[in-house]
Amino acid sequence: MAKTSRIPYNIKIQKRLYYSRKLSILTTFSAIIIAFGVAGLFFTIIGLNPLEVYSYIGGVFASPTLLLESFKRAIPIGLAALGLSIAFKMNFWNIGAEGQMYMGMLASTGIVLLHVYYGLIPDYLVLSLMILAAFLTGGLWCCLPAFLKAKMKVNEILTTLMMNYVAMYLVDFLIYGPWRDPKGYGFPLSVPFPEYSKLTVMFGEFAYGGLLLLCLTAVIVFIILRYTKLGFELKIVGENIEIARNAGINLSKVVTVGGFIAGGIAGIGGLTIVSGIIGRLRPRASPGYGYTAIIVVLLSALNPWLIIPVSIFFGGLFVAGDILQATLRIPGAAVEMYQALIFLFIVIGEFMKRYKITITRGVVE
Amino acid sequence: MTELVSLKGIVKHFPGVLANDNVDFTLRRGEIHALLGENGAGKTTLMNILYGLYRPDSGEIYIEGRRIEISSPRDAIKLGVGMVHQNFKLIPSHTILENIILGLKEVGFIINYKKISEEIRKLAESYGWRINPNAYVWQLTAGEKQQVELLKLLYRDARILILDEPTSVLTLQECRILFQALKRMAREGKGIIFITHKLDEVFAISDRVTVMRKGRVVITKETSKTDMSELAQYMVGRPVLFSIQKERTQPSGEAIIIKNLKAFNDKGVLALKGVDLVVKKNEIVGVIGVTGNGQQELVEVIAGLRKAAEGSILIDGINIANSSPDRIIELGVAYIPPEPLKYSIAPNLTIVDNLFMKAYRYKPYSNGILINWKKIYKKADELIKNFQIISPSLSTKAKSLSGGNLQRLILARELSGLIGDKIPKLIVAAYPTKGLDIGATEFVHKTLIEYSRKGSGILFISEDIEEALMISDRVAVMHDGRIVGIFKPGEVDMEKIGLMMAGVQVVPAI
Ligand SMILES: Nc1ncnc2c1ncn2[C@@H]1O[C@H](COP(=O)(O)OP(=O)(O)OP(=O)(O)O)[C@@H](O)[C@H]1O
Ligand SMILES: [Mg+2]
């Protein structure tokens, strides 16, 4: 009992028993709006008119050409996020989508080079083999930490993160070294990909074919999670490892296979960068799509359908970032900053969803 | 005289259920008040309302005559209301002391461990408990954990104590200690609400008894003015059989042969020191003994959840010691774990998910890749009906089931022969009637007997000697990691069993 004469404030943090879907959506939206508000403050401080900045950002989604550009960016982000949704479902905190994407780029470029330099693969097989290779390599890159976690309880956050750097530097090494285009005037670039190895072959425009690929993958992920044995196992493993063990679920198998599929899908995301957006391999080809995918998948609450629009939104932010850099001369870091802000507020929002905070004034008897 | 607690017209809805329907309840000073009712009757809900975990939809709460609002357990504790939950909520990796002072405001920023530690020790001693405040919770037996839960409340000066099925996890000895302590607390003027399913406990300890049924209070009476069959009738709405006539079946071949089985417990101490036991087909073998003498380790080793250090477990001639749980499941072993909530139920998953947590991977529910949800839902509907699991829908989360309904869910999963629609070869049932109301207990006994008639071998771990004698064909006494004697129910001498359970050497009459 408080003995002081002043009236105390009581702050209570309680776990909510239920939270409705409506509340959930509402908090997420408020989080985004607040994030933009705070970013606006920041823009004002560095001497910009936030309204102008936001009109540029809004403009991205209003102009057909820029929207198409946002779609393109959304494709690798969305694919990586779909992969992550499988990993996160089983509580495998994969931070490594970025590295898995680099491995996907590396593998698909490898196939192109085999074809271009050695003529080993017939034209019509190149793209399919690239997809296969990207999936396998990305998958292996995620499978390894998954296996280590399942067998030896090695923390996956560390391993997947470290493997990002390994993958990125491996690409750097190849492209500055043996894979550099001999006719490229010494630039660190691979040979340009031949037309039939690009995703544009599908509809003439990468965005359309890519979007189709994204939607198809979403369907597959949905089916895996909802209708397959593996999906059910992922869910139980994600709930609690001991419970899964008691139910006779083969933990290492589930985690390894789940990790493989997750990484494989991210690997295909990597493929869409080189064979869709850029058309060749270059160092640092991903401006952090694999990290953005983490935000996307959390925002979408692991729902594969939501991942598509949310990726488009973040794809748009990337495009807006480029435009802002070019027109208003905002430093590139600003783009990353408002992404980070959104992330921060989402995390706060998640907390508010789960816990009820009440502040009352007065002595509680 | 003003009542210590008075609840008036409490109503509480959950999605799809009316858990409390206009409930009136009073608790007097110095009284032990038993709260009785079927699984899902709304006992825990009512108490959670008094403890501030749930807000009632309507109704009034009076404490010592004053109308109050309780919006959190914190408020409740300030008002002197304390609750020990059906499932303990201590943090295993903390010491007793830490658990007790956790969330305690008065200790301030700098904690005087020594002083508090001494106070706790004294408090415990005054109730006849011997406790080392610096021991870790994971090292404690169920009985000791409960003492800690109570100490936590007493240390906060709780005057109104709520115990939700406190004895379902205790050994007989521990029960006796608990009852003595509770009576003492009542003499000190505290009010105690005691939820239970066991009628003999009602008569052993309570001054008054309230029976709930389907969310309503059926009756409140002085305990001395009622009897068992009347209470049972109020509870279930029909007369109840207190004992089952079991026809003895002729056991055939062996369902399981355990030879010289040794295993360690979680603390790394040898807990099974060479168990030899055979369960035949068509036979129920009851294992009795004081809890903590290796029963848990024994069932876990059989289920493949604990490593065997030595020895063998043969099922159909195959040694399953140290096989993986899924292989053992496939060989036809059903397992009802001793602590179902610990690792056997996923609280955030739905009832269907929990029901099919093992069967999902077998035909006809899966073709190896895809899951046939239609078949699963159809079967689940059937199971819910057969096992009388009360819940709004199949996609309700398991955590919103009442304690007894959770136990039924496990029984449904393990006993219904989901896997390949075959009956289990061996059923390992550890305390399967724990937390069940009398109707459901009767149902479990009948089910086990029925399976034994159909050909399953049943290894039945129990603490209740009478229960074990009633349904078993043979009873094995377990002490200190060994089977120290095996009897047929007709030819036992209770005194001899008691001695064996206590570890006194008696020449076993096998
Ligand atoms: N958090 C919750 N969400 C939804 N329904 C709930 C919740 N808690 C309890 N219920 C429902 O309310 C009813 C009463 O449950 P309660 O836990 O009070 O029963 P009980 O009398 O304690 O039973 P038992 O003896 O089995 O423990 C049950 O139908 C239960 O499913
Ligand atoms: Mg209950």
Side-chain angles (χ1 to χ4, degrees):
Chain A
M1 195 127 324
K3 289 186 192 78
T4 47
S5 56
R6 69 188 177 86
I7 306 168
Y9 286 96
N10 301 297
I11 300 175
K12 269 188 295 206
I13 299 176
Q14 267 180 283
K15 208 161 179 159
R16 276 183 214 271
L17 287 171
Y18 320 105
Y19 53 88
S20 64
R21 219 194 170 95
K22 223 157 108 190
L23 176 75
S24 167
I25 295 171
L26 207 76
T27 18
T28 305
F29 266 99
S30 338
I32 294 175
I33 289 168
I34 296 172
F36 273 101
V38 175
L41 216 68
F42 173 78
F43 289 134
T44 318
I45 292 168
I46 61 172
L48 289 165
N49 178 359
L51 287 180
E52 194 185 350
V53 175
Y54 291 147
S55 71
Y56 273 106
I57 297 176
V60 170
F61 297 99
S63 130
T65 41
L66 291 180
L67 190 61
L68 203 66
E69 193 57 32
S70 313
F71 283 172
K72 288 184 191 168
R73 310 289 187 101
I75 290 155
I77 298 174
L79 284 167
L82 284 170
L84 289 177
S85 72
I86 289 181
F88 288 3
K89 189 80 191 177
M90 58 176 184
N91 251 342
F92 180 76
W93 294 104
N94 176 14
I95 312 295
E98 184 80 355
Q100 290 139 26
M101 288 172 105
Y102 273 104
M103 292 315 283
M105 300 183 213
L106 186 145
S108 30
T109 310
I111 298 284
V112 171
L113 295 187
L114 277 180
H115 171 71
V116 175
Y117 289 169
Y118 306 102
L120 279 180
I121 301 154
D123 298 0
Y124 59 89
L125 262 185
V126 172
L127 188 57
S128 350
L129 271 183
M130 284 165 69
I131 294 177
L132 188 69
F135 184 83
L136 291 179
T137 338
L140 280 177
W141 214 244
C142 187
C143 197
L144 195 71
F147 185 77
L148 288 176
K149 181 188 182 181
K151 284 282 178 211
M152 284 175 270
K153 299 206 163 79
V154 181
N155 184 312
E156 73 274 21
I157 297 184
L158 287 177
T159 43
T160 49
L161 186 67
M162 282 183 323
M163 285 178 68
N164 282 348
Y165 292 102
V166 177
M168 208 164 77
Y169 289 121
L170 191 62
V171 168
D172 278 4
F173 161 75
L174 287 172
I175 213 70
Y176 281 103
W179 284 12
R180 198 198 300 244
D181 181 3
K183 300 191 212 86
Y185 306 103
F187 285 111
L189 294 169
S190 75
V191 289
F193 286 13
E195 275 315 307
Y196 45 81
S197 68
K198 286 194 198 161
L199 284 169
T200 45
V201 291
M202 283 204 248
F203 293 97
E205 168 61 74
F206 161 63
Y208 302 142
L211 222 46
L212 185 73
L213 186 68
L214 183 62
C215 293
L216 256 160
T217 315
V219 173
I220 293 171
V221 168
F222 177 77
I223 290 175
I224 291 179
L225 291 180
R226 187 56 103 44
Y227 293 107
T228 65
K229 228 174 81 180
L230 179 71
F232 190 71
E233 290 166 337
L234 291 173
K235 184 159 76 176
I236 295 173
V237 172
E239 258 308 295
N240 183 322
I241 288 185
E242 280 308 318
I243 291 175
R245 207 166 77 91
N246 276 24
I249 290 172
N250 186 337
L251 266 180
S252 11
K253 190 175 134 198
V254 171
V255 174
T256 317
V257 173
F260 187 80
I261 297 177
I265 296 175
I268 292 185
L271 168 125
T272 61
I273 298 176
V274 284
S275 127
I277 299 176
I278 307 177
R280 65 206 308 177
L281 182 63
R282 64 171 163 77
R284 310 298 149 94
S286 158
Y289 293 142
Y291 297 112
T292 305
I294 299 173
I295 308 179
V296 170
V297 74
L298 291 179
L299 247 183
S300 321
L302 311 194
N303 178 332
W305 308 126
L306 273 181
I307 283 176
I308 299 172
V310 177
S311 318
I312 293 173
F313 174 70
F314 277 88
L317 288 189
F318 271 106
V319 176
D322 288 354
I323 293 175
L324 291 176
Q325 268 186 71
T327 52
L328 298 180
R329 309 212 168 279
I330 296 181
V335 189
E336 283 161 35
M337 191 213 62
Y338 65 54
Q339 275 196 15
L341 271 177
I342 290 176
F343 185 57
L344 183 70
F345 282 98
I346 286 165
V347 172
I348 296 173
E350 282 301 308
F351 180 80
M352 308 274 276
K353 259 187 233 171
R354 303 226 161 99
Y355 296 89
K356 191 165 73 187
I357 301 169
T358 41
I359 301 175
T360 49
R361 190 148 191 222
V363 181
V364 180
E365 295 192 51
Chain B
M1 184 182 113
T2 59
E3 255 105 15
L4 202 49
V5 175
S6 165
L7 303 175
K8 289 198 178 139
I10 301 289
V11 176
K12 178 71 188 176
H13 283 270
F14 284 117
V17 268
L18 181 53
N20 283 160
D21 182 6
N22 207 5
V23 173
D24 293 333
F25 180 88
T26 57
L27 177 70
R28 298 180 186 147
R29 218 178 292 276
E31 171 188 56
I32 301 183
H33 193 143
L35 184 55
L36 209 58
E38 290 188 292
N39 295 133
K43 307 175 293 289
T44 301
T45 305
L46 186 67
M47 291 304 118
N48 279 340
I49 287 172
L50 178 56
Y51 189 54
L53 273 172
Y54 298 153
R55 282 281 188 125
D57 300 339
S58 65
E60 293 161 9
I61 304 175
Y62 296 85
I63 289 187
E64 292 173 325
R66 265 187 313 154
R67 168 98 195 259
I68 43 115
E69 298 273 328
I70 307 179
S71 60
S72 73
R74 242 202 153 96
D75 290 358
I77 290 163
K78 280 188 194 139
L79 289 160
V81 179
M83 179 159 173
V84 179
H85 294 272
Q86 206 161 350
N87 317 300
F88 298 147
K89 298 201 163 161
L90 297 174
I91 306 170
S93 56
H94 282 36
T95 64
I96 293 177
L97 182 69
E98 287 163 347
N99 267 287
I100 290 178
I101 61 177
L102 204 75
L104 202 65
K105 245 198 191 144
E106 290 71 31
V107 293
F109 194 62
I110 296 158
I111 299 171
N112 186 344
Y113 281 107
K114 224 173 173 172
K115 185 172 138 251
I116 298 175
S117 170
E118 205 38 53
E119 283 169 2
I120 290 170
R121 198 192 304 273
K122 282 224 183 81
L123 190 62
E125 264 166 24
S126 73
Y127 293 104
W129 300 334
R130 298 236 311 272
I131 263 178
N132 169 13
N134 296 315
Y136 285 92
V137 165
W138 61 262
Q139 299 174 316
L140 304 182
T141 65
E144 288 166 336
K145 276 186 203 155
Q146 188 163 59
Q147 292 168 1
V148 175
E149 291 272 15
L150 278 166
L151 281 174
K152 199 168 156 180
L153 305 181
L154 295 168
Y155 192 72
R156 289 164 165 72
D157 282 329
R159 288 163 297 142
I160 299 152
L161 299 169
I162 307 167
L163 288 92
D164 196 349
E165 297 189 29
T167 57
S168 59
V169 289
L170 298 188
T171 66
L172 292 172
Q173 177 63 19
E174 287 170 332
C175 275
R176 224 167 286 140
I177 297 174
L178 173 72
F179 283 10
Q180 273 165 13
L182 290 182
K183 282 185 178 152
R184 206 196 134 121
M185 290 171 204
R187 275 201 302 279
E188 287 166 357
K190 300 185 193 307
I192 296 167
I193 303 171
F194 187 91
I195 303 183
T196 184
H197 291 296
K198 295 177 192 151
L199 290 173
D200 47 347
E201 288 177 3
V202 174
F203 290 95
I205 195 166
S206 71
D207 302 305
R208 282 198 300 160
V209 52
T210 290
V211 180
M212 286 184 77
R213 195 168 138 68
K214 303 210 161 98
R216 296 175 176 220
V217 168
V218 189
I219 193 170
T220 300
K221 237 182 170 180
E222 307 286 320
T223 311
S224 55
K225 295 201 178 109
T226 180
D227 60 44
M228 284 216 190
S229 54
E230 189 192 23
L231 286 183
Q233 178 107 27
Y234 279 130
M235 224 158 94
V236 194
R238 64 174 167 86
V240 180
L241 296 173
F242 282 105
S243 70
I244 291 179
Q245 268 313 320
K246 175 170 156 37
E247 338 159 4
R248 311 282 156 193
T249 42
Q250 200 48 48
S252 39
E254 288 94 0
I256 186 170
I257 305 171
I258 301 169
K259 271 194 207 137
N260 189 32
L261 188 65
K262 295 187 181 168
F264 293 95
N265 66 12
D266 290 339
K267 296 169 206 168
V269 178
L270 200 62
L272 296 182
K273 301 177 177 170
V275 170
D276 291 294
L277 189 64
V278 173
V279 180
K280 299 213 168 103
K281 290 173 187 156
N282 296 103
E283 186 189 40
I284 304 181
V285 173
V287 174
I288 54 175
V290 177
T291 307
N293 274 287
Q295 294 97 321
Q296 171 155 7
E297 287 78 9
L298 175 64
V299 295
E300 284 176 356
V301 172
I302 298 174
L305 301 170
R306 183 178 290 279
K307 286 248 162 341
E310 215 182 298
S312 63
I313 305 170
L314 298 180
I315 288 182
D316 283 346
I318 303 164
N319 186 1
I320 58 157
N322 296 329
S323 294
S324 63
D326 54 326
R327 171 140 175 73
I328 293 169
I329 292 168
E330 277 156 32
L331 280 170
V333 177
Y335 174 58
I336 298 160
E339 287 179 70
L341 283 186
K342 211 157 148 197
Y343 296 133
S344 188
I345 290 268
N348 291 318
L349 297 186
T350 64
I351 292 176
V352 194
D353 289 348
N354 275 291
L355 270 176
F356 283 82
M357 201 176 262
K358 287 182 175 174
Y360 75 93
R361 54 181 178 266
Y362 303 109
K363 275 189 178 129
Y365 309 111
S366 164
N367 61 8
I369 295 172
L370 294 178
I371 286 186
N372 189 334
W373 284 108
K374 220 165 137 190
K375 280 219 173 79
I376 285 185
Y377 270 88
K378 205 166 144 237
K379 181 77 183 180
D381 263 329
E382 199 185 307
L383 291 176
I384 293 276
K385 261 189 223 106
N386 289 350
F387 285 80
Q388 294 162 17
I389 300 168
I390 300 161
S391 82
S393 86
L394 283 174
S395 30
T396 305
K397 285 186 178 170
K399 69 175 168 195
S400 64
L401 286 181
S402 79
N405 277 307
L406 280 173
Q407 184 72 10
R408 289 170 194 225
L409 195 155
I410 297 210
L411 289 167
R413 173 166 82 206
E414 300 298 337
L415 296 184
S416 56
L418 290 176
I419 297 159
D421 269 330
K422 279 182 296 196
I423 62 154
K425 237 174 245 149
L426 176 75
I427 299 172
V428 179
Y431 318 107
T433 55
K434 184 168 69 187
L436 293 186
D437 62 40
I438 38 181
T441 302
E442 191 187 73
F443 172 76
V444 171
H445 291 161
K446 279 188 182 155
T447 311
L448 290 180
I449 290 171
E450 190 191 317
Y451 275 104
S452 78
R453 199 175 294 140
K454 285 187 191 156
S456 300
I458 294 167
L459 185 63
F460 174 65
I461 314 284
S462 175
E463 216 150 51
D464 185 339
I465 303 179
E466 280 167 34
E467 183 188 30
L469 291 177
M470 187 170 76
I471 71 161
S472 310
D473 298 294
R474 286 189 299 149
V475 177
V477 182
M478 192 159 188
H479 176 75
D480 194 26
R482 286 191 186 87
I483 301 294
V484 292
I486 295 180
F487 303 92
K488 288 216 159 113
E491 51 197 46
V492 279
D493 171 350
M494 286 299 252
E495 198 179 334
K496 207 159 144 195
I497 292 191
L499 286 174
M500 292 184 105
M501 281 170 63
V504 180
Q505 284 290 330
V506 197
V507 183
I510 301 179

